[in-house]
């Protein structure tokens, strides 16, 4: 089946009351055929498409009204009393079954018994009325509910198939076979061949498939095949639909040439096939008798350049109605030649390298009319580099229903849109548009979806400006400076499903007009200036609308949160999987009940109190953030329930007790922070199961014991390990040197003893500056957001609290740029290992407050990115290495309270720090310290009487004549110098050339200093 609607979950009862979960939108059942619904031992199917219009409408109609669907009643039933299969075909099918492994009972109904002799009643088999010949065989694998993999048949496709001489439809999708047998080319009557998501041990596609002269559909999507010689495709004279998407065509030859000459071809889909860049260069003008049936071309995600596509495409594109060239490498401006495609209805150029302004013909809508281009209904230009602005007004009208120009650089104001009266969807998010917005929306009476977020719109939008938008269901105005001034008692004429108003100003009161919105599943009113409590009617509405994304964060909302349990929803919405963010408000009270299928819950930065045991039933949570509240008590021991948890942030609460053993069950965990409570005890052994962990922060607790060796052995993906301010003891295990990805290692303020491991230079993330990301984050496939254009909001950016320049600083947006080693305030002894000087990426190094001895390594100047260096309060000896003066980025230096001696190296960098950076080293001398070094010239005072005599002499010398002489000499000097410049060209050119060079040097120096300041400010941020 193919359902083309947005993904959603439904529950379908089978005739035997076995519940089948159907996930609409993912390929699993590419063609329906459930015979009479008898053999439904499998529990999970996923439906992608429906070829039968009646079935498609039946399913969609029931989904829309929220009824339970009887899957069998939606599919035409056969009258089995009239037809029995012929013996030849029955034996061929049984022979086919013998060569297969059926681990999941897909062929359970295929039995050689008297009760099951009629193969026309077997699962997946359809017969011709009257004759009983098998004409259709549909045996797709089923999808695993856990990981989406296919569970199907395995083995060899038996040659007994040849006996099925009347076979017209063959679908073996989602299974695993040794190969595509050559004899399939002998099915002269075969019209449809589907091998979607099928694995083959041998990836070769036999050329004998070219003998299928009646074949109309060939679908090999996501199959493990590789096609090199494509000449056989040109022999499929009846082919209408060819889909080789997600197969390996990197070595194919003349594929497009062979496909395009097929006389009946209507659709060609080659998505993400690794097509070679020269795939169409040979095809320019060699073919003149092209079929008028060719209407759909989809070459999405093939990295094809403009030179490969344009010449080839515009040579034959007259009949095309749909062109999809998205996610390629098309560069330059949008060719005007697209206007010659007179029947074009859909054009998708999303995410290429297109730049320049919108074509001049488009600016006057000649892009649609000049070349009889009025058929265009959908235009997608998002994720390019288009710039320029719109004209004040369009002169022509357009039939466009969908216009997507999001993620470009289009500036200026939004023009009069009255020429686009047919628009149903309009998207221009993340551009540079400004001025007002509301007054331009009135003419768009058919508008259903409006995406205008992340621009520079300002002004006020009132209810009168949107009253005409009676069909509106999707509204995204987020991240603008808009004021939404709707009367609280106003009842909008539209019923929104998606409401995204983040960063707009809604006023201090909770928006009352939401009371009349009964269909929304996505609501984002974060950072909208609300200073109020939430009315009861809003909590009640959440229990009836089926919320999938709720964001109330960054406001000043107070009061308690009511239970959100969504008990009264229709039976079909049982797996809505909501994401809820109420962080950074003033909510109080205990944590309420949330829907059992909640996947993300963020309640951080509030004043919630009490235990968190009420969350133990949210078993599919993948992200839980309760940080910065007033929660207390022991951590519950129910973590075995959360086998999908990837982010757990409980920092800065008042939890006590030990870390529960059951936390070891959080196998997929990527980030966990328990910082800032009063947890005690040792690290449980089962925590070694956190093999996917990237960030671990247990700082500011009362944890004790040693760091187990398995931390470095099994937690190999760690980027941040932060254990400061605990009671850990023992030596620093050398196994930590195996953490190749570690960028922040903080073991400060503990009781570690022994020496610093010399193997720290094995940590590759600290030795190389490349491959560092600005932040460290995870993306989530949130069901609710996947139905919208807001998926970028399903991102969680990690944050860490670090001691930086004498104060605690939270790093989040720039966390990925920080490379820090902090072993301060322990009982470490021995010398500073020279191997640490190989950690070239270090930005912060803190070894202070230990018992380290020996000299500072002389090659410390290699750490050229170092911004923070603290070696204070140790027992270091020797001189300060001169290479330290090479650290031009150094912003904080503390070498105080050691036994360093000798002169502080003279450099602008080291003398820029005050004396506090060097104090406490009695034998240290030189600026900025007040004590001079031996050998410096003493500046002694002269005798008083001698000074008086010299002063009197100088007074007699400086008379009026002295000043007159200076003035006259200065005047003659200036006139002589500038006179020479005026008279002698070579002097003049040399003089001004010199000052030009000096001026440029000064400007470059200032720019470098400014960049350094910016970098330090970014790190501080």
């Amino acid at each position: 089946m193919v359902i083309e609607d947005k993904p959603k979950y439904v529950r379908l009862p089978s005739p035997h009351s076995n519940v089948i979960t159907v996930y609409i939108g993912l390929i699993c059942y590419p063609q329906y055929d459930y015979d009479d619904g008898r053999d439904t031992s499998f529990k999970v199917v996923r439906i992608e498409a429906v070829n039968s219009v009646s079935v498609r409408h039946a399913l969609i109609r029931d989904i829309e009204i929220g009824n339970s669907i009887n899957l069998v009643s939606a599919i035409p039933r056969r009258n089995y009393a009239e037809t029995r299969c012929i013996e030849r075909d029955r034996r061929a099918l049984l022979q086919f079954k013998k060569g297969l492994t059926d681990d999941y009972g897909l062929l359970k109904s295929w039995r050689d018994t008297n009760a099951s002799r009629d193969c026309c009643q077997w699962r997946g088999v359809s017969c011709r009325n009257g004759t009983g010949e098998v004409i259709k065989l549909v045996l797709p694998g089923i999808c695993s509910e856990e990981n989406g993999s296919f569970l199907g048949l395995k083995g060899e496709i038996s040659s007994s198939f040849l006996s099925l001489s009347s076979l017209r439809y063959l679908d073996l999708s989602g299974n695993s076979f040794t190969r595509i047998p050559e004899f399939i080319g002998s099915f002269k009557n075969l019209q449809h061949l589907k091998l979607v998501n099928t694995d083959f041990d041998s990836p070769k596609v036999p050329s004998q498939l070219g003998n299928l002269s009646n074949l109309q559909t060939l679908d090999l999507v996501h199959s493990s095949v590789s096609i090199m010689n494509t000449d056989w495709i040109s022999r499929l004279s009846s082919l209408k639909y060819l889909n080789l998407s997600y197969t390996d065509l990197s070595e194919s030859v003349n594929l497009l040439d062979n496909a395009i000459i097929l006389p009946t071809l209507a659709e060609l889909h080659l998505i993400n096939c690794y097509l070679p860049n020269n795939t169409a260069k040979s095809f320019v003008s060699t073919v003149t008798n092209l079929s008028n049936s060719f209407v759909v071309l989809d070459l999405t995600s093939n990295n094809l350049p403009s030179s490969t596509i344009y010449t080839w495409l515009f040579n034959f594109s007259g009949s095309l109605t749909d062109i999809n060239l998205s996610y390629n490498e098309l560069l330059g401006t949008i060719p005007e030649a697209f206007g010659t495609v007179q029947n074009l209805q859909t054009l998708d150029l999303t995410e290429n390298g297109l730049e320049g302004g919108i074509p001049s013909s488009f600016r006057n809508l000649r892009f649609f009319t000049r070349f009889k281009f009025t058929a265009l209904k959908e235009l997608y230009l998002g994720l390019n580099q288009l710039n320029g602005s719109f004209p004040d007004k369009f002169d022509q009208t357009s039939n466009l229903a969908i216009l997507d120009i999001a993620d470009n650089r289009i500036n200026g104001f939004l023009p009069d849109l009255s020429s686009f009266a047919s628009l149903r969807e309009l998207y221009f998010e993340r551009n540079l548009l400004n001025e007002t917005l509301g007054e331009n929306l009135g003419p768009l009476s058919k508008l259903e979806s409006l995406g205008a977020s992340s621009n520079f719109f300002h002004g006020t939008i009132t209810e009168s400006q949107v009253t005409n938008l009676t069909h509106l269901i999707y509204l995204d105005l987020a991240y603008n400076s808009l004021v939404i001034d709707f009367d609280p008692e106003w009842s909008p004429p539209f019923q929104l499903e998606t409401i995204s108003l983040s960063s707009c100003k809604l006023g201090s009161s909770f928006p009352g007009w939401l009371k009349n919105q009964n269909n929304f599943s996505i609501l984002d009113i974060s950072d909208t200036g609300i200073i109020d409590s939430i009315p009861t009617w809003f909590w009640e509405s959440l229990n009836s609308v089926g919320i999938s994304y709720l964001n109330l964060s960054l406001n000043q909302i107070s009061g308690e949160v009511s239970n959100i349990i969504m008990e009264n929803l229709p039976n079909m919405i049982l797996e809505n999987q909501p994401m809820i963010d109420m962080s950074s408000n003033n909510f109080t009270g205990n944590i309420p009940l949330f829907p059992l299928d909640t996947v993300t819950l963020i309640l951080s930065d509030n004043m919630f109190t009490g235990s968190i045991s009420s969350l133990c039933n949210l078993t599919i949570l993948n992200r839980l953030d309760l940080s910065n509240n007033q929660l207390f008590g022991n951590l519950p021991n129910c973590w075995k329930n959360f086998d999908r948890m990837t982010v757990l942030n409980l920092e800065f609460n008042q939890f006590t007790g030990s870390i529960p053993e059951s936390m070891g069950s959080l196998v997929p965990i990527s980030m966990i922070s328990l910082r800032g409570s009063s947890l005690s005890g040792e690290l449980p052994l089962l925590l070694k199961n956190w093999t996917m962990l990237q960030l671990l922060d247990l700082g500011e607790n009362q944890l004790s014991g040693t760091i187990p060796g398995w931390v470095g052995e099994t937690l190999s993906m760690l980027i941040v390990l932060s254990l400061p301010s605990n009671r850990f003891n023992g030596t620093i295990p050398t196994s930590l040197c195996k953490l190749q990805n570690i960028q922040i290692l903080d073991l400060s303020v503990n009781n570690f003893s022994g020496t610093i491991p010399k193997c720290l230079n094995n940590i590759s993330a600290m030795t190389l500056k490349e491959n560092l990301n600005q932040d460290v984050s995870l993306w989530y496939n949130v069901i609710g957001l996947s139905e919208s254009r807001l998926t970028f909001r399903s991102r969680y950016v990690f944050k860490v609290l670090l001691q930086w320049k004498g104060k605690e600083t939270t790093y989040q947006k720039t966390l990925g740029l920080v490379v820090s080693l902090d072993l301060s305030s322990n009982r470490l002894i021995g010398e500073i290992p020279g191997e640490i000087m190989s950690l070239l990426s270090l930005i912060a190094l803190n070894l202070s407050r230990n018992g380290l001895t020996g000299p500072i390594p002389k090659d410390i100047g290699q750490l050229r990115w170092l911004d923070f260096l603290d070696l204070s309060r140790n027992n270091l000896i020797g001189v300060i290495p001169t290479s330290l003066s090479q650290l031009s980025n150094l912003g904080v230096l503390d070498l105080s309270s050691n036994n360093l001696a000798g002169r502080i190296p003279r450099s602008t960098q080291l003398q820029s720090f005050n004396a506090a950076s060097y104090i406490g080293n009695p034998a240290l001398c030189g600026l900025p310290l007040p004590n001079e070094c031996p050998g410096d010239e003493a500046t002694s005072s002269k005798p008083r009487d001698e000074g008086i005599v010299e002063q009197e002499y100088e007074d007699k010398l400086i008379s009026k004549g002295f000043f007159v002489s200076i003035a006259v000499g200065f005047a003659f000097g200036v006139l002589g110098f500038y006179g020479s410049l005026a008279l002698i060209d070579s002097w003049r050119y040399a003089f001004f050339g010199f000052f030009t060079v000096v001026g440029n040097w000064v400007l470059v120096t200032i720019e470098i200093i400014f960049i350094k300041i910016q970098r330090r400010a970014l790190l501080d941020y």
Side-chain angles (χ1 to χ4, degrees), residues 134 226 474 550 589 690 779 875 938:
V134 174
S226 178
Y474 180 97
L550 174 65
W690 294 347
W779 289 88
N875 298 309

Side-chain angles (χ1 to χ4, degrees), residues 459-699:
T460 301
I461 296 180
T462 64
E463 58 264 30
S464 62
Q465 295 172 333
V466 296
T467 298
N468 198 34
L469 307 181
T470 56
H471 296 88
L472 196 64
I473 58 175
Y474 180 97
L475 179 63
D476 181 12
L477 304 178
Y479 310 117
N480 285 288
S481 298
L482 293 168
V483 176
I484 311 298
D485 187 14
F486 293 165
D487 190 309
E489 302 300 323
W490 179 54
S491 181
F494 44 74
Q495 285 292 323
L496 295 172
E497 297 176 3
T498 295
I499 306 172
S500 176
L501 303 175
S502 179
S503 299
C504 296
K505 300 306 173 188
L506 302 185
S508 59
S509 299
F510 194 83
W513 57 272
L514 288 176
K515 186 175 184 179
N516 298 305
Q517 295 297 299
N518 303 316
N519 295 336
F520 67 87
S521 59
I522 296 175
L523 176 63
D524 186 351
I525 52 174
S526 59
D527 193 20
T528 52
I530 300 174
I531 309 174
D532 197 3
S533 59
I534 295 181
T536 303
W537 59 260
F538 179 75
W539 299 121
E540 293 175 348
S541 68
L542 293 182
N543 286 317
S544 59
V545 297
I547 196 74
S548 59
Y549 179 80
L550 174 65
N551 194 339
L552 306 176
S553 65
L554 298 168
N555 286 291
Q556 297 184 49
I557 304 174
S558 57
E560 297 189 1
V561 177
S562 298
N563 293 333
I564 308 173
I565 51 179
M566 296 194 291
E567 288 182 331
N568 301 320
L569 297 179
N571 292 333
M572 55 164 289
I573 310 179
L574 295 180
E575 296 189 27
N576 211 39
Q577 299 193 358
M579 172 181 176
I580 299 173
D581 187 350
M582 299 183 184
S583 61
S584 300
N585 280 286
N586 297 319
F587 289 119
T588 57
N590 294 329
I591 293 178
L593 298 178
F594 291 97
L596 297 181
D597 59 343
T598 300
V599 294
T600 298
L601 183 60
I602 304 177
L603 304 179
S604 58
D605 296 289
N606 281 285
M607 293 180 284
F608 288 108
T609 59
S611 170
I612 63 172
S613 299
S614 61
L615 301 178
C616 287
N617 293 326
L618 307 184
T619 56
I620 65 172
L621 266 180
N622 60 34
R623 184 170 22 161
L624 177 62
D625 189 344
L626 305 177
S627 60
N628 291 286
N629 279 283
Q630 300 171 17
L631 302 167
F632 55 82
N634 291 343
L635 294 175
N637 197 26
C638 60
W639 301 101
K640 290 183 179 180
N641 300 340
F642 303 103
D643 57 359
R644 304 183 188 184
M645 184 80 73
T646 56
V647 169
L648 176 62
N649 192 345
L650 304 178
E651 66 184 18
F652 295 111
N653 281 284
Q654 302 169 24
F655 296 116
T656 55
S658 59
I659 299 176
E661 290 273 349
S662 62
M663 274 194 169
S665 302
L666 305 178
V667 176
I669 197 77
S670 292
M671 179 270 185
I672 184 166
S673 178
L674 304 177
R675 189 184 188 109
S677 280
S678 299
L679 298 174
S680 58
E682 299 185 0
L683 297 181
L685 176 63
L686 291 179
L687 301 191
K688 68 180 182 180
N689 296 332
W690 294 347
T691 56
M692 304 297 291
L693 195 64
Q694 298 180 50
L695 186 151
L696 175 61
D697 190 347
L698 303 177

Side-chain angles (χ1 to χ4, degrees), residues 949-1010:
V949 171
E950 289 185 357
Q951 181 65 43
E952 291 175 351
Y953 176 80
E954 291 173 357
D955 290 343
K956 291 178 181 179
L957 176 65
I958 303 175
S959 61
K960 291 182 179 180
F962 175 78
F963 288 110
V964 171
S965 299
I966 288 179
V968 172
F970 179 76
F972 276 101
V974 171
L975 289 174
F977 179 74
Y978 284 103
S980 299
L981 292 180
L983 295 174
I984 305 174
D985 292 341
S986 60
W987 286 24
R988 184 170 64 253
Y989 296 149
F991 174 75
F992 288 110
F994 170 75
F995 277 98
T996 299
V997 171
V998 172
N1000 289 339
W1001 178 84
V1002 171
L1003 290 175
V1004 170
T1005 302
I1006 293 173
E1007 181 68 18
I1008 291 173
I1009 294 173
F1010 181 71

Side-chain angles (χ1 to χ4, degrees), residues 801-837:
L801 188 67
L802 296 177
Q803 278 285 344
W804 193 267
K805 300 183 180 180
K807 62 180 181 180
E808 288 188 334
T809 304
T810 298
Y811 285 86
Q812 185 170 21
K813 294 181 179 179
T814 59
L815 177 59
L817 298 176
V818 178
V819 182
S820 172
L821 175 62
D822 191 345
L823 306 179
S824 62
S825 300
N826 282 285
R827 294 186 292 167
L828 300 173
I829 58 174
E831 296 187 359
I832 299 175
E835 288 79 3
I836 288 183
M837 304 307 116

